[in-house]
Amino acid sequence: MKKEMIYEEVLAMLNDRVDYKSITLAEVAKRCGMGKSTIYEYFVSKDEMVFNSIIFYLNRMMKFFSNGFRVTTFRASLKVFIKAVIITMKANFWMVMPWTFLDNYAPFLTEEDADTITELLYKCKEVILELFTAICEKGKEEGTLFEINEKNINFAYNGIICSLSEEVDCDYDYESDESKLYVEDLCACVLRQLN
């Protein structure tokens, strides 16, 4: 449980785009309400702590998106998908935009660690796109979507990400009425892009 708390705090700092040099074992310990020695029980260095935090999160997200959603219609699936992407972006922005991680943090990691994380980030993106593709195929089966192909699926997915990157920040309230209306508008936009 303590290790997971450490992971969550490191990830929060990364998502807040805290300068890598500012992420220290002492600062993470302070934010977690534990002693620095507790951090050393789990990690020998800051780099190991950051690397393991990212790996933990990426594996959790891949599992989440791999499981898909148990909803009945294309429209309902699309809404849940967009909300899941919003929550993911809010928790860790670079999860759906891997290059932001590469630009900001990869230079501080060993080449091997940066390569491992880069590979996982792009694998996560593939898993998310596979889920989006499955949702679009459901839309085609329903007759909601007409001709779907890899090109327009990628176009619509990138449209979602671009739109959300302008809208979502750490304070974004995805349960507000305004947010629900935004998701509805984004769903309509996605439908236009796919048809």
Side-chain angles (χ1 to χ4, degrees), residues 9-175:
E9 193 54 52
V10 170
L11 292 165
M13 292 173 82
L14 289 172
N15 196 49
D16 290 342
R17 296 187 178 98
V18 171
D19 178 48
Y20 189 81
K21 293 173 186 166
S22 300
I23 300 172
T24 64
L25 296 173
E27 181 61 24
V28 172
K30 179 181 167 189
R31 288 177 178 226
C32 290
M34 58 182 71
K36 189 175 170 184
S37 60
T38 304
I39 303 277
Y40 278 110
E41 290 174 22
Y42 301 107
F43 309 105
V44 296
S45 69
K46 171 177 84 170
D47 293 339
E48 181 188 17
M49 178 182 66
V50 171
F51 176 77
N52 286 326
S53 298
I54 294 168
I55 296 298
F56 166 79
Y57 183 75
L58 291 175
N59 285 325
R60 185 170 71 183
M61 287 295 94
M62 276 196 280
K63 184 177 180 181
F64 171 74
F65 281 104
S66 293
N67 287 334
F69 308 123
R70 295 179 194 358
V71 285
T72 54
T73 66
F74 164 74
R75 185 84 173 188
S77 297
L78 182 58
K79 278 185 182 176
V80 172
F81 177 79
I82 290 172
K83 287 179 186 176
V85 172
I86 289 171
I87 292 166
T88 302
M89 286 180 86
K90 188 175 171 184
N92 283 288
F93 196 79
W94 40 265
M95 184 59 201
V96 291
M97 299 175 78
W99 56 91
T100 60
F101 171 81
L102 300 175
D103 292 345
N104 293 312
Y105 297 109
F108 296 101
L109 301 175
T110 66
E111 188 175 331
E112 183 180 344
D113 287 354
D115 288 346
T116 299
I117 290 172
T118 301
E119 187 178 317
L120 274 173
L121 280 167
Y122 282 99
K123 177 63 180 163
C124 270
K125 185 180 174 192
E126 284 176 33
V127 168
I128 293 169
L129 257 172
E130 285 170 13
L131 175 59
F132 185 58
T133 301
I135 291 168
C136 292
E137 287 169 359
K138 180 184 281 197
K140 189 172 180 187
E141 288 169 17
E142 285 178 10
T144 306
L145 298 178
F146 307 112
E147 186 71 29
I148 60 165
N149 58 50
E150 187 176 339
K151 186 177 178 180
N152 67 357
I153 287 172
N154 280 321
F155 181 71
Y157 174 76
N158 287 330
I160 291 169
I161 299 306
C162 287
S163 180
L164 292 177
S165 67
E166 293 173 8
E167 183 76 16
V168 175
D169 60 23
C170 293
D171 299 325
Y172 187 84
D173 178 9
Y174 50 87
E175 291 298 327

